[in-house]
């Protein structure tokens, strides 16, 4: 979503652009590979600069394949172990 706001200051026009960032949450704990990977790729295509995706996965194949894909494609992400079987990834686009 893009929000544009225009204001007049001393007869000069100043355009201020503000972009609302999106947080995508995907709970893929019950999804098996490759479904989690396919759905994540769709989310990544929708994401814009500074958007964040929070992803939870439990499938062993997904826990291996998804970080490998993100690393290969140069995404900025972090991994947090939630319990003995579930990890949570935070993926950020851009800065």
């Amino acid at each position: 979503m893009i929000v544009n706001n225009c204001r007049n200051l001393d007869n000069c026009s100043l355009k201020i652009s503000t972009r609302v960032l999106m947080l995508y949450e995907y709970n893929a704990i019950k999804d098996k590979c490759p479904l989690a990977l396919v759905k994540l790729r769709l989310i990544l295509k929708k994401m814009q600069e500074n958007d964040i995706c929070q992803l939870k996965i439990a499938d062993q194949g997904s826990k291996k394949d998804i970080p490998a894909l993100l690393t290969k494609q140069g995404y900025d992400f972090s991994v947090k172990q939630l319990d003995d079987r579930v990890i949570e990834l935070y993926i950020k686009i851009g800065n």
Side-chain angles (χ1 to χ4, degrees), residues 29 53-58 63 66-67 70 77-91:
I29 291 174
C53 177
Q54 176 189 13
L55 169 68
K56 293 179 184 177
I57 49 178
K63 289 196 282 188
I66 289 175
L70 295 171
F77 70 98
S78 61
V79 180
K80 179 180 176 185
Q81 187 78 36
L82 296 182
D83 61 32
D84 59 334
R85 65 188 254 313
V86 178
I87 63 170
E88 183 174 63
L89 289 92
Y90 285 92
I91 307 155

Side-chain angles (χ1 to χ4, degrees), residues 28-39:
I29 291 174
K30 294 181 181 178
D31 293 345
K32 303 292 182 202
C33 196
L35 183 60
L37 182 65
V38 171
K39 287 184 176 181

Side-chain angles (χ1 to χ4, degrees), residues 1-55:
M1 175 188 302
I2 297 177
V3 178
N4 287 321
N5 182 13
C6 296
R7 299 178 184 169
N8 287 326
L9 298 174
D10 301 325
N11 297 327
C12 295
S13 209
L14 173 67
K15 185 176 180 181
I16 301 172
S17 295
T18 307
R19 184 180 178 290
V20 178
L21 47 108
M22 296 288 293
L23 172 62
Y24 294 84
E25 293 179 297
Y26 173 29
N27 184 345
I29 291 174
K30 294 181 181 178
D31 293 345
K32 303 292 182 202
C33 196
L35 183 60
L37 182 65
V38 171
K39 287 184 176 181
L40 176 62
R41 289 181 116 171
L42 293 174
I43 292 170
L44 292 172
K45 284 184 181 182
K46 292 179 186 179
M47 292 175 69
Q48 298 178 20
E49 189 170 343
N50 294 321
D51 287 350
I52 297 171
C53 177
Q54 176 189 13
L55 169 68

